[in-house]
Amino acid sequence: MPDVLDASPYDALLLLSFGGPEGPDDVVPFLENVTRGRGIPKERLKEVGQHYFQFGGVSPINDQNRALLRTLREDFAGHGLDLPVYWGNRNWAPYLTDTLREMVRDGRRRILVLATSAYASYSGCRQYRENLADALAALEAEGLELPRIDKLRHYFNHPGFLEPMIDGVVRSLADLPEDVRDGAHIAFCTHSIPNASADTSGPVEGHGDGGAYVAQHLDVARLIADAVRERTGVDHPWQLVYQSRSGAPHIPWLEPDICDHLEERHAAGVPAVVMAPIGFVSDHMEVLYDLDTEATARAQELGLPVRRSATVGDDPRFAAAVRELIVERAATERGQDVTPCALGALGASHNVCPVGCCPPRAPRPAAAGVDSPYA
């Protein structure tokens, strides 16, 4: 029998994700949820939804979260961690508020949250915390006893998140034709966000050009590139690039875009490119469309060999990392000395988001932070 791991004072884990449509009739209502408050006409949402309609109106993200749930539960059971795992989404069923209500009715009072976003940014952290505060406010209005909620720290530099991506890049390089393999360039891809959002990502003292969002991605890219060099004996050139821009054209967003980058690398004589989506936990729609469909089609037009490496998904090493993060955070809450596990130059991220971390455009309450109204 495995040793029993101590998760106290926590009595449940909540997997918190973005959500996605699971059929053609879901697409526009889902996009209405995502864009609520922005006044975007339904006809425009139907145009945007074409990305989903090309895949039968189904985003793979929900099935990917179901797979991760299974892997987490198997890992916890196999390692003696007695902690039930629930799942809630921001923008589609199972909705966060419904899941929290279920957890409260099940008697859960100290909840840890794992968000399917590894890096610091407003949309990748603070907005999830705002959604948690909204859900808690709804339960409070129903007269339910509110649980205390904490959020696991950013895990971008945890070995269990990095190792599957390193393997994926090595496999993608090996899949390239031998005559272009050693000269291949690695494009480390992540979601573009507005420059202003990037510059204010992370704690206030780190605000500036790109903020924590860019710094964390660059650190991950260096770690992966160094590991690939050690395993292959080849020092591949690399660059951090961006995808999935969705904002107004006059607002500066992080660049270069992956398609522009492929054109530039091709013009510079690069013989092949591996696209490594380090900014995403799973192969959801933005990976399938922006990389596997749009960017790959552009590379084919250029005659540029490309491969796309895998995301972490439900890799058992990622599940083990989550288990380690839970045990680490639980020990910290019990007042024990803990050495957090993190690679690279930046060290482990904070456990509790400080005031001013990834600020919103307009003040809104957010749970699981120093300024939480639900501490």
Side-chain angles (χ1 to χ4, degrees):
M1 292 291 291
D3 294 332
V4 176
L5 298 178
D6 190 358
S8 63
Y10 298 107
D11 55 19
L13 177 72
L14 168 62
L15 175 65
L16 177 55
S17 194
F18 193 81
E22 301 200 78
D25 293 341
D26 297 343
V27 172
V28 171
F30 162 74
L31 293 173
E32 288 174 333
N33 287 342
V34 174
T35 61
R36 183 173 287 113
R38 302 183 201 173
I40 299 176
K42 182 170 288 190
E43 291 307 311
R44 174 58 182 151
L45 295 180
K46 290 179 180 178
E47 293 175 16
V48 174
Q50 292 305 315
H51 295 180
Y52 292 94
F53 292 130
Q54 289 185 33
F55 294 87
V58 178
S59 168
I61 191 169
N62 279 354
D63 275 346
Q64 289 162 2
N65 281 323
R66 292 182 183 103
L68 178 56
L69 279 171
R70 287 193 296 271
T71 304
L72 288 170
R73 288 165 177 158
E74 289 168 2
D75 178 273
F76 293 2
H79 290 85
L81 182 62
D82 184 15
L83 196 69
V85 187
Y86 296 74
W87 168 39
N89 290 324
R90 285 168 49 178
N91 299 299
W92 202 248
Y95 287 104
L96 170 59
T97 301
D98 295 336
T99 300
L100 272 184
R101 185 183 298 109
E102 176 189 0
M103 297 177 81
V104 168
R105 289 174 174 167
D106 286 348
R108 311 306 176 190
R109 294 295 176 260
R110 287 293 302 270
I111 297 170
L112 259 180
V113 174
L114 167 67
T116 55
S117 175
Y119 302 85
S121 70
Y122 171 74
S123 57
C125 183
R126 171 83 192 197
Q127 193 171 13
Y128 281 105
R129 294 175 48 227
E130 291 175 353
N131 297 144
L132 285 165
D134 291 342
L136 288 169
L139 299 188
E140 186 175 39
E142 296 172 12
L144 295 177
E145 181 179 352
L146 298 187
R148 176 173 166 179
I149 294 180
D150 294 326
K151 180 177 175 292
L152 285 172
R153 65 176 173 88
H154 302 301
Y155 46 83
F156 63 92
N157 56 3
H158 193 287
F161 185 67
L162 291 166
E163 289 165 1
M165 293 191 292
I166 294 166
D167 287 350
V169 173
V170 171
R171 284 195 299 268
S172 293
L173 287 166
D175 192 49
L176 285 166
E178 188 173 357
D179 60 333
V180 301
R181 186 179 304 150
D182 287 352
H185 169 91
I186 305 173
F188 291 107
C189 307
T190 191
H191 205 301
S192 185
I193 61 175
N195 287 6
S197 180
D199 293 345
T200 57
S201 58
V204 172
E205 61 271 18
H207 289 178
D209 188 16
Y213 187 75
V214 171
Q216 290 170 0
H217 281 87
L218 286 173
D219 205 37
V220 167
R222 290 188 194 100
L223 286 164
I224 295 175
D226 289 348
V228 170
R229 182 181 64 249
E230 292 175 5
R231 296 190 189 184
T232 66
V234 179
D235 190 8
H236 291 274
W238 61 269
Q239 185 171 339
L240 179 63
V241 302
Y242 303 92
Q243 61 176 89
S244 311
R245 176 186 171 131
S246 59
H250 67 280
I251 298 176
W253 283 50
L254 294 173
E255 296 178 337
D257 177 78
I258 179 60
C259 289
D260 295 338
H261 181 68
L262 292 175
E263 293 177 7
E264 188 272 335
R265 290 292 81 202
H266 177 256
V270 167
V273 173
V274 168
M275 301 181 292
I278 61 172
F280 305 93
V281 171
S282 64
D283 289 3
H284 53 60
M285 185 57 69
E286 286 168 321
V287 175
L288 293 186
Y289 183 81
D290 296 331
L291 296 183
D292 293 358
T293 304
E294 191 173 50
T296 299
R298 185 69 191 110
Q300 290 172 345
E301 292 170 1
L302 296 168
L304 177 67
V306 294
R307 297 293 185 272
R308 196 269 292 173
S309 64
T311 54
V312 172
D314 63 336
D315 190 290
R317 289 168 292 184
F318 180 47
V322 173
R323 167 174 37 87
E324 292 168 7
L325 288 166
I326 292 167
V327 172
E328 170 196 301
R329 180 61 183 276
T332 300
E333 290 295 307
R334 296 194 302 271
Q336 297 174 222
D337 289 332
V338 175
T339 301
C341 183
L343 301 178
L346 299 179
S349 184
H350 49 260
N351 275 330
V352 182
C353 293
V355 175
C357 191
C358 304
R361 289 184 294 272
R364 284 188 61 191
V370 171
D371 56 352
S372 171
Y374 298 105

